[in-house]
């Protein structure tokens, strides 16, 4: 799920092969893609005013305009499994390749893809985010590390302190650090651009945190996939948790909308809207 340039929330329907659009006033539109089994996964606003997304099952990168016109581009490596995607300061879209241990770069004007091999195998690179240092930061789910790739393709890996932490979602925080979830360890992690790592255990270590996004007022918000909850790590390090009405909702992606509310995609086929509480000062 991501906020689009048109003031709407855009999201993927992975099992239906569709892209959805939801306005803050509740209008919902869906756009069918050319291959129902393509597996649209993560998406991001692009530098061209369109939304770009990964197609994990047919190994393509998709593009959809705000009026619903979709196209796609093949990834050169077969069966690569693109997943995480983000726009970078160089005007390109960068993405992870889960099954081929590579990071890809796509230029939006011509669809040309360049691939950068990782120095590890079986790492399962997952989510990816643009950092404040103009590099791309990504999680290595099976290698238990956070990776960094510069715009020149130079790669650095940072092993996590906790074994089998299984990092998945990652986001750039308002504090200049990268925040990520450890689905296997039930923790939230923070890494600075010089590689210093902190970890914050959740009250429920079996909650399986999955996705994470920076909060506009600082801190970060994340989904607890196995517990049917939304978590908030405050700027001072406190963890607050909010139960969803359906404990079996299986929350996945989340993003803040133009109305200041937090929108969460649920595996049960719903979108939840949460309005964060304001401080007494407003």
């Amino acid at each position: 799920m991501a906020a689009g340039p048109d003031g709407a929330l855009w999201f993927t329907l992975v099992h239906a092969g569709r892209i959805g659009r939801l306005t803050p006033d509740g209008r919902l539109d869906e756009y069918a893609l050319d291959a129902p089994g393509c597996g649209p996964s993560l998406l991001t606003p692009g530098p061209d005013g369109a939304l770009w997304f990964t197609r994990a099952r047919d190994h393509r990168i998709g593009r959809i305009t705000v009026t619903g016109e979709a196209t796609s581009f093949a990834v050169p490596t077969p069966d690569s499994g693109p997943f995480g995607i983000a726009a970078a300061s160089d005007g390109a879209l960068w993405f992870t390749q889960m099954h081929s241990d590579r990071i890809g770069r796509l230029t939006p004007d011509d669809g040309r893809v360049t691939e950068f091999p990782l120095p590890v195998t079986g790492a399962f690179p997952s989510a990816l985010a643009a950092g404040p240092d103009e590099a791309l930061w990504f999680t290595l789910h099976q290698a238990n590390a956070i990776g960094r790739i510069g715009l020149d393709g130079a790669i650095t890996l940072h092993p996590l302190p906790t074994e089998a932490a299984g990092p998945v979602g990652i986001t750039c925080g308002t504090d200049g650090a990268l925040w990520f979830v450890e689905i296997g360890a039930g923790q939230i992690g923070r890494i600075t651009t010089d590689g210093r790592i902190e970890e914050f255990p959740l009250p429920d270590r079996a909650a399986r945190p999955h996705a994470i996004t920076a909060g506009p007022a600082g801190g970060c918000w994340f989904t607890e996939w196995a517990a049917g909850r939304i978590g908030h790590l405050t700027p001072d390090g406190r963890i607050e948790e909010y139960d969803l009405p359906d404990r079996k909702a299986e929350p996945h992606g989340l993003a803040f909308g133009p109305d200041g509310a937090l929108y969460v995609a649920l595996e049960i086929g719903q979108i939840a809207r949460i309005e964060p509480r304001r401080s007494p000062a407003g």
Side-chain angles (χ1 to χ4, degrees):
M1 176 168 282
D6 57 346
L9 281 300
W10 291 77
F11 56 93
T12 58
L13 294 163
V14 62
H15 301 303
R18 294 171 176 265
I19 301 296
R21 177 183 184 272
L22 176 68
T23 61
D25 62 3
R27 175 178 171 177
L28 177 65
D29 296 295
E30 293 183 11
Y31 303 97
L33 300 175
D34 57 354
C38 66
S41 298
L42 301 190
L43 80 170
T44 188
D48 56 351
L51 285 299
W52 291 77
F53 56 96
T54 51
R55 295 170 42 152
R57 293 178 182 167
D58 69 351
H59 319 292
R60 303 178 70 87
I61 303 300
R63 175 185 184 271
I64 188 167
T65 67
V66 294
T67 57
E69 300 171 7
T71 53
S72 68
F73 304 87
V75 176
T77 298
D79 303 322
S80 60
F83 188 68
I85 188 168
S89 60
D90 62 350
L93 285 303
W94 291 70
F95 58 95
T96 60
Q97 300 180 32
M98 293 184 293
H99 307 318
S100 61
D101 292 310
R102 295 169 184 262
I103 302 297
R105 177 185 183 272
L106 183 148
T107 50
D109 55 343
D110 58 7
R112 184 169 61 90
V113 175
T114 306
E115 297 176 303
F116 302 91
L118 298 175
V120 289
T121 58
F124 211 77
S126 300
L128 175 143
D133 55 352
E134 296 193 342
L136 286 302
W137 291 75
F138 53 94
T139 54
L140 294 170
H141 180 67
Q142 291 297 312
N144 209 51
I146 303 299
R148 176 191 186 274
I149 183 168
L151 299 181
D152 59 356
I155 295 171
T156 307
L157 303 185
H158 301 278
L160 296 180
T162 301
E163 293 185 7
V168 183
I170 189 168
T171 189
C172 184
T174 58
D175 59 350
L178 286 300
W179 293 81
F180 56 94
V181 296
E182 298 179 3
I183 194 171
Q187 299 185 135
I188 304 301
R190 177 183 185 271
I191 183 169
T192 60
T193 54
D194 60 0
R196 290 182 291 113
I197 296 173
E198 295 178 87
E199 293 174 311
F200 302 85
L202 300 181
D204 178 2
R205 300 293 290 273
R208 307 284 288 174
H210 186 272
I212 189 168
T213 191
C220 56
W221 293 76
F222 53 92
T223 55
E224 297 186 20
W225 173 74
R229 285 192 296 258
I230 304 302
H232 177 216
L233 182 61
T234 66
D236 60 0
R238 291 181 296 108
I239 293 176
E240 303 169 339
E241 295 177 306
Y242 304 92
D243 290 332
L244 294 168
D246 186 344
R247 295 296 296 273
K248 297 181 180 179
E250 297 188 1
H252 281 246
L254 73 174
F256 278 91
D259 57 351
L262 180 66
Y263 291 79
V264 186
L266 309 180
E267 186 70 11
I268 58 174
Q270 298 177 359
I271 303 294
R273 181 183 183 276
I274 300 171
E275 189 167 342
R277 291 177 297 188
R278 296 180 180 272
S279 67

